[in-house]
Amino acid sequence: MGGLQRFEQKLEQAISGVFARTFRSAVQPVEIAAALQRELDNKAQILSRERRLVPNAFDVELSQTDLERLSPYDTTLASELAGQLQEHADMQSYVFPGPIRIAFKPASDLGTGRFRVLSHAEATVSGTLRGAGRETRAVLEVNGTQHPLQPPGLVIGRGSDADLRINDPGISRRHAEFLVTTQGGAGVAPGQGDLHIEVHDMGSTNGITVDGRKVARAVLRDGSRVQVGHTSLTVRMVDGGAGV
């Protein structure tokens, strides 16, 4: 029995025949499962002879009608689809950069019974940052979350000794350092001057790019985008920190 057939049987056991009757003339879950598997196959990037990196975040876009029919079952379906994807990844020696995430979203240009899958890599981010508890005037956005950028800065990497740990196979254990200082003139209280932020490559394997240009070090401003491995990090200034 193939993997998609087993998926259908598991889904029937989890949701019963109500789901199948609801979707008889609309998008079929097994079609979504097959499309997600194709997305992995098409996006796989070689890490080594035996390992390939694949996306782990998926948006399944549907018509509003199909989305409304799906809504009572979306949590169960997402869980079953994630399990099916993990099984397929194990068979193909695929590696996810973080937990599998599947979301269902409306698309106004899709008719009933049609859907599309969009995917990207979304690395797991964790760590305790230096300078915690100070007033935050700049942040680093990573995969939709914000992390304070405060003097003296922070080290990002995949290793346990990094201040901000990112579970991305394309990132070195200590990949890059963000250096944060304050610059002020006479009459400016310590720590209250303009922020100055730089990023330095720490001898990483794959290097860093800033706004699409590969660099060893660079001064960063509001909106600067730093790419490390498969992960994008964006500098955002907040509440009076715009003088980078």
Side-chain angles (χ1 to χ4, degrees), residues 125-133 147-148 153-155 160-165:
V125 181
S126 62
T128 301
L129 304 185
R130 288 179 276 174
H147 305 267
L154 60 92
V155 172
S160 59
D161 56 343
D163 300 304
L164 186 61
R165 297 187 295 277

Side-chain angles (χ1 to χ4, degrees), residues 68-210:
E68 291 173 358
R69 292 175 178 175
L70 172 66
S71 59
Y73 318 100
D74 57 0
T75 301
T76 301
L77 179 57
S79 176
E80 294 296 333
L81 287 169
Q84 173 66 20
L85 272 187
Q86 186 63 63
E87 181 179 325
H88 182 67
D90 292 342
M91 293 177 60
Q92 301 297 327
S93 297
Y94 292 157
V95 177
F96 294 109
I100 299 172
R101 180 186 63 76
I102 300 174
F104 301 97
K105 298 186 175 181
S108 59
D109 62 323
L110 294 177
T112 301
R114 298 181 64 83
F115 71 95
R116 61 172 162 257
V117 174
L118 305 176
S119 68
H120 64 276
E122 191 173 272
T124 302
V125 181
S126 62
T128 301
L129 304 185
R130 288 179 276 174
R134 299 179 185 175
E135 179 185 0
T136 299
R137 301 168 60 205
V139 296
L140 194 62
E141 288 186 350
V142 190
N143 293 337
T145 60
Q146 295 186 337
H147 305 267
L149 269 178
Q150 300 166 332
L154 60 92
V155 172
I156 64 168
R158 193 160 43 89
S160 59
D161 56 343
D163 300 304
L164 186 61
R165 297 187 295 277
I166 303 177
N167 183 25
D168 180 334
I171 294 178
S172 299
R173 295 183 61 82
R174 290 173 62 85
H175 196 105
E177 183 173 19
F178 287 77
L179 298 176
V180 182
T181 57
T182 56
Q183 299 176 335
V188 176
Q192 295 301 309
D194 292 339
L195 281 184
H196 180 82
I197 304 174
E198 295 186 12
V199 63
H200 294 199
D201 181 30
M202 299 182 72
S204 64
T205 301
N206 295 320
I208 61 175
T209 62
V210 175

Side-chain angles (χ1 to χ4, degrees), residues 205-227:
T205 301
N206 295 320
I208 61 175
T209 62
V210 175
D211 297 327
R213 183 169 59 92
K214 192 162 186 177
V215 298
R217 59 185 292 171
V219 175
L220 304 177
R221 294 172 172 80
D222 185 32
S224 292
R225 187 176 298 272
V226 181
Q227 185 77 25

